[in-house]
């Protein structure tokens, strides 16, 4: 075992291979970017193939290779299940898969793991049944959990080498020009897929909307695409927006949102030209409503909003409150429509969004980020990947990226959820180190990280209750009681990479 | 006391607990299903046992389906179940209130 800087034990075999977390920017150093093997296309060649089966044959996909997918269709994705079903039927085994994330809809993956088709996984998240199955120990090799910026870094630096990327394309022409704003299942931005297309040896575009050449706008260009396949349906548009919430009526969430908005608007960052990122949860959306009102009242306009774009941000831009939307992913249909129609709503790739090893990610220019949490501990470490029962069920997302890079990161969460304390002694799994987290906002008040005395001074007259993080934890435990320690097995089921590729924690089987 | 009846109180809503009491030949037997069993299972079982003992119920089978209820809810549901099982409506509020710490 090797103990990392956060006192988390990392088994030696993985510590040797990945290195262990040693501080937010400890591993940022010059490197040689990854290269790919290119099969050139001659003037009379065709890229259009009749089926996914033909594409798998043409790419020469073999046992042991790495394939990737994007998660822009979220719970509405058909592509990963279709491709893996065909691969399984063809008898190909021992694949590594590198989807940008995994949703509940990908439950068939469990059988592909059990049947030896998939033997390695890297992903941002693992949900419900897939997460529970992996936590139970069905894989010999641990899943590697990477943040969105961490995945872009891993691909750009060669830690993940994608042999074949199978990319769902809301619209494509027969030569492989792709966008996410036209077609039957429009997901808007293709920010995560753009990185795969740029670095994969071979790219297969799978579309249900084949349009005349040339398809514009071009999010992924023909020069990155080898083959195009037309299928009946690549995704369910309703599933793309699943989980995106309307304005919450939950009084606890509203209070948290009100406190969060007060923190933002009382901060020195809140001035004309400021920038922000919010999530898609109920409280996060409510923050934008409260924030919006103060922006109107005080005539403070933002230079940009980043994300994870939701309709709430689109409406703020339409009202003239936000100059630009910088968009790596869309959480609902109105956001995808806005990306298509508004030149100041701009699509970027994950490398530009959040990679710690790019020549400067957009998050580095971000003032305020609002983030969620399953657990926060008294060292301000945040868990967004495992439930307090130790089972994998969340996603790393952009949490560690954004919080490390922005000027003020705010984690919003209720003190308890049902009987589960959210503010705890020690998080079940660390995804984001406490040094990245500046303010924790709960319905009982806020806790400012003592490592930010400037913020403590900034908010000394703020009309929101202020507590220490220990006091918040005590209040949580007073309601719920002190939880018993979870008993884990000896098998490592997931490695939690920090955004720089070092290991910040591991997850054992339960 | 011994009884031949079965009673069920509570709901399956989140933050509630549904408690079913059934006859049992000897002792208190608790079957707990809970979404927080790993963190609070032993505590919940002990709490239900304590309440039943205070109400002088020695032989009973308890089926508890917990959806993350807090202690106050668990106590209230257990007391209500016990009273209903015994057909008692003369609640001894002072005694019950004295249990609150």
């Amino acid at each position: 075992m090797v103990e990392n800087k956060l006192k988390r034990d990392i088994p030696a075999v993985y510590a040797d291979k990945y290195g262990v977390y040693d501080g937010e920017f400890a591993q940022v150093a010059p490197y040689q970017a990854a290269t790919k093997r290119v099969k050139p296309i001659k003037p009379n060649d065709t890229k259009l193939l009749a089926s996914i089966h033909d594409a798998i044959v043409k790419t020469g996909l073999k046992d042991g290779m790495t394939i990737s997918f994007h998660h822009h269709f979220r719970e509405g994705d058909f592509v990963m299940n279709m491709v893996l079903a065909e691969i399984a039927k063809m008898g190909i085994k021992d694949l590594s898969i590198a989807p940008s994330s995994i949703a509940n809809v990908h439950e068939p993956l469990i059988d592909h793991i059990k049947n030896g088709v998939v033997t390695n996984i890297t992903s941002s998240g693992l949900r419900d049944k897939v997460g529970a199955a992996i936590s139970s120990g069905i894989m010999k090799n641990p899943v590697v959990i990477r943040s969105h910026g961490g995945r872009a870094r891993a691909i750009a630096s060669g830690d993940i080498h994608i042999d074949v990327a199978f990319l769902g394309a809301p619209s494509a022409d027969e030569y492989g020009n792709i966008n996410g704003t036209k077609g039957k299942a429009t997901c808007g931005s293709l920010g995560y897929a753009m990185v795969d297309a740029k670095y994969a040896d071979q790219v297969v575009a799978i579309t249900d909307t084949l349009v005349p050449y040339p398809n514009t706008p071009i999010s992924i260009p023909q020069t990155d695409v080898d083959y195009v396949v037309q299928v009946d349906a690549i995704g369910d548009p309703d599933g793309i927006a699943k989980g995106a919430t309307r304005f919450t009526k939950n009084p606890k969430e509203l209070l948290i949102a009100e406190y969060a908005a007060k923190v933002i608007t009382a901060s020195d960052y809140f001035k004309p030209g400021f920038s922000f990122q919010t999530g898609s949860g109920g409280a996060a959306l409510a923050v934008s409503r409260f924030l919006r009102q103060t922006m109107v009242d005080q005539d403070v306009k933002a230079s940009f909003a980043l994300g994870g774009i939701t309709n709430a941000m689109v409406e703020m831009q339409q009202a003239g409150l936000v100059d630009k939307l910088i968009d790596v992913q869309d959480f609902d249909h109105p956001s995808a429509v806005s990306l298509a129609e508004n030149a100041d709503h701009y699509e970027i790739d994950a490398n530009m969004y959040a990679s710690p090893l790019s020549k400067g990610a957009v998050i580095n220019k971000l003032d305020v980020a609002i983030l969620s949490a399953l657990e926060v501990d008294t060292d301000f470490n945040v868990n967004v990947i495992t439930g307090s029962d130790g089972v994998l069920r969340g996603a790393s997302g952009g949490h560690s990226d954004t919080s490390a890079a922005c000027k003020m990161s705010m984690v919003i969460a209720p003190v308890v959820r049902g009987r589960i304390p959210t503010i705890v002694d020690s998080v079940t799994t660390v995804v984001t180190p406490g040094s990245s987290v500046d303010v924790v906002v709960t319905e009982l008040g806020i806790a400012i990280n003592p490592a930010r005395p400037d913020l403590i001074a900034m908010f000394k007259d703020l009309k929101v209750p202020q507590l220490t993080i220990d006091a918040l934890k005590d209040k949580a435990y007073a309601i719920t009681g002190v939880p018993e320690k979870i008993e884990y097995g000896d098998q490592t089921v997931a490695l939690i990479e920090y955004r720089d590729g070092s290991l910040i924690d591991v997850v054992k089987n339960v | 006391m011994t009884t031949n009846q079965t009673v069920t109180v509570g709901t399956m809503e989140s933050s509630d607990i549904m408690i079913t009491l059934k006859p049992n030949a000897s002792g208190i037997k608790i079957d707990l299903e809970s979404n927080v069993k790993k963190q609070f299972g032993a505590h919940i079982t002990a709490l239900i046992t304590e309440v039943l003992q205070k109400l002088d119920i020695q032989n009973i089978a308890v089926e508890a389906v917990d959806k993350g209820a807090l202690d106050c809810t668990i106590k209230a549901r257990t007391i209500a179940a016990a009273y209903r099982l015994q057909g008692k409506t003369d609640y001894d509020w002072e005694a019950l209130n004295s249990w609150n710490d």
Side-chain angles (χ1 to χ4, degrees):
Chain A
M1 290 288 182
V2 178
E3 195 177 76
N4 70 14
K5 198 176 184 180
L6 301 177
K7 302 200 183 312
R8 298 276 158 163
D9 285 331
I10 311 296
V13 55
Y14 304 117
D16 289 348
K17 187 172 170 194
Y18 293 85
V20 300
Y21 173 75
D22 190 33
E24 291 167 277
F25 302 104
Q27 313 287 336
V28 177
Y31 67 105
Q32 185 63 48
T35 54
K36 63 178 172 184
R37 186 166 178 78
V38 178
K39 284 198 298 187
I41 297 285
K42 288 179 286 192
N44 291 319
D45 292 349
T46 175
K47 294 185 183 180
L48 193 62
L49 300 175
S51 66
I52 289 173
H53 175 89
D54 289 1
I56 295 167
V57 172
K58 277 279 191 185
T59 57
L61 187 71
K62 311 195 283 280
D63 293 6
M65 283 187 165
T66 298
I67 61 175
S68 78
F69 305 91
H70 69 70
H71 78 292
H72 289 286
F73 301 125
R74 305 176 77 230
E75 288 297 340
D77 179 49
F78 296 167
V79 174
M80 187 155 96
N81 289 344
M82 280 194 296
V83 171
L84 285 177
E86 185 59 35
I87 285 171
K89 210 162 81 184
M90 292 168 70
I92 301 169
K93 301 265 185 192
D94 194 22
L95 288 176
S96 294
I97 64 167
S100 48
S101 200
I102 292 172
N104 294 331
V105 72
H106 299 123
E107 200 183 320
L109 189 53
I110 297 170
D111 283 336
H112 297 312
I113 293 167
K114 288 180 175 166
N115 297 332
V117 176
V118 172
T119 50
N120 284 283
I121 296 176
T122 178
S123 174
S124 160
L126 294 166
R127 306 290 185 180
D128 265 21
K129 289 185 179 154
V130 180
I134 288 169
S135 271
S136 78
I138 61 167
M139 293 192 77
K140 186 163 151 273
N141 304 318
V143 171
V144 182
I145 299 295
R146 291 183 164 104
S147 71
H148 291 326
R151 179 179 189 269
R153 171 206 54 77
I155 293 171
S157 68
D159 284 359
I160 301 174
H161 180 80
I162 303 166
D163 294 298
V164 186
F166 293 93
L167 302 180
S171 68
D173 62 41
E174 45 83 23
Y175 224 46
N177 293 301
I178 299 168
N179 66 56
T181 52
K182 293 176 183 169
K184 294 178 210 158
T186 51
C187 57
S189 176
L190 288 170
Y192 300 122
M194 289 156 92
V195 179
D196 300 40
K198 196 170 167 196
Y199 288 94
D201 280 349
Q202 298 186 75
V203 174
V204 178
I206 299 172
T207 190
D208 55 11
T209 306
L210 196 65
V211 299
Y213 183 87
N215 183 29
T216 58
I218 300 173
S219 295
I220 292 173
Q222 62 189 44
T223 42
D224 282 342
V225 177
D226 296 81
Y227 302 107
V228 179
V229 176
Q230 190 176 13
V231 296
D232 291 338
I234 56 168
D236 170 11
D238 291 338
I240 296 171
K242 198 168 167 184
T245 32
R246 293 184 179 281
F247 188 53
T248 181
K249 290 191 173 71
N250 179 329
K252 197 153 88 171
E253 288 189 331
L254 286 172
L255 189 58
I256 295 170
E258 193 183 332
Y259 285 167
K262 280 185 178 165
V263 170
I264 297 170
T265 54
S267 76
D268 295 349
Y269 307 114
F270 187 70
K271 57 182 186 230
F274 84 111
S275 58
F276 66 96
Q277 172 168 353
T278 63
S280 65
L285 287 179
V287 175
S288 27
R289 293 291 180 104
F290 287 110
L291 185 61
R292 177 183 178 145
Q293 193 53 51
T294 312
M295 289 170 76
V296 171
D297 294 346
Q298 299 185 15
D299 194 27
V300 172
K301 290 178 176 127
S303 56
F304 71 93
L306 178 65
I309 300 296
T310 62
N311 189 34
M313 291 168 163
V314 169
E315 286 175 357
M316 284 169 90
Q317 189 185 36
Q318 285 166 350
L321 295 169
V322 176
D323 197 15
K324 315 252 168 148
L325 297 181
I326 305 295
D327 186 349
V328 71
Q329 178 184 16
D330 292 289
F331 286 131
D332 50 35
H333 186 65
S335 306
V337 172
S338 165
L339 180 68
E341 293 174 351
N342 184 350
D344 285 329
H345 180 164
Y346 195 77
E347 182 179 31
I348 59 165
D349 71 18
N351 206 34
M352 180 164 167
Y353 166 51
S355 170
L357 293 192
S358 71
K359 294 184 181 180
V362 180
I363 51 173
N364 297 354
K365 305 294 282 179
L366 188 64
D367 288 326
V368 178
I370 296 174
L371 303 151
S372 64
L374 292 170
E375 294 174 329
V376 184
D377 69 23
T378 49
D379 291 326
F380 288 84
N381 297 317
V382 177
N383 168 26
V384 284
I385 190 73
T386 49
S388 56
D389 55 0
V391 178
L392 291 157
R393 65 159 54 94
S396 174
H399 205 290
S400 63
D401 300 307
T402 311
S403 55
C406 75
K407 294 188 179 64
M408 180 172 73
S409 68
M410 301 166 59
V411 169
I412 60 171
V415 167
V416 300
R417 291 186 175 96
R419 191 168 190 147
I420 307 285
T422 307
I423 317 294
V424 296
D425 276 322
S426 177
V427 289
T428 308
T429 310
V430 185
V431 172
T432 295
S435 56
S436 296
V437 175
D438 298 320
V439 186
V440 174
V441 183
T442 74
E443 73 276 28
L444 299 181
I446 65 166
I448 302 170
N449 192 329
R452 290 293 304 267
D454 58 323
L455 292 181
I456 292 169
M458 200 184 283
F459 297 128
K460 66 181 192 311
D461 298 323
L462 182 73
K463 294 202 170 23
V464 170
Q466 297 192 35
L467 300 88
T468 64
I469 192 78
D470 290 276
L472 277 180
K473 187 246 341 182
D474 289 343
K475 283 181 182 290
Y477 284 10
I479 298 166
T480 65
V482 180
E484 289 167 51
K485 287 252 182 296
I486 304 296
E487 287 188 23
Y488 294 95
D490 296 328
Q491 186 187 345
T492 302
V493 296
L495 305 175
I496 313 297
E497 265 195 10
Y498 187 58
R499 57 198 298 256
D500 64 10
S502 65
L503 295 182
I504 197 161
D505 210 344
V506 300
V507 180
K508 298 285 187 175
N509 63 312
V510 277
Chain B
M1 65 155 284
T2 318
T3 174
N4 297 320
Q5 293 184 58
T6 293
V7 298
T8 298
V9 303
T11 70
M12 305 269 272
E13 297 295 315
S14 60
S15 296
D16 201 351
I17 183 167
M18 194 165 81
I19 290 186
T20 302
L21 301 181
K22 288 180 176 173
N24 192 38
S26 99
I28 294 173
K29 178 173 152 282
I30 297 178
D31 182 11
L32 173 68
E33 187 184 303
S34 171
N35 55 358
V36 294
K37 194 166 181 173
K38 283 186 199 166
Q39 302 96 313
F40 295 104
H43 170 83
I44 294 169
T45 305
L47 183 62
I48 294 172
T49 306
E50 182 196 326
V51 171
L52 291 171
Q53 282 169 343
K54 278 183 176 164
L55 294 171
D56 207 23
I57 295 177
Q58 318 294 352
N59 303 314
I60 199 81
V62 183
E63 285 171 21
V65 182
D66 171 55
K67 299 287 179 186
L70 297 175
D71 282 1
C72 50
T73 310
I74 296 168
K75 278 189 210 170
R77 291 299 192 195
T78 308
I79 293 168
Y83 269 74
R84 202 172 299 166
L85 183 78
Q86 295 167 319
K88 280 167 63 177
T89 51
D90 55 333
Y91 301 99
D92 186 353
W93 295 112
E94 267 182 41
L96 293 178
N97 196 42
S98 73
W99 299 1
N100 292 326
D101 22 65

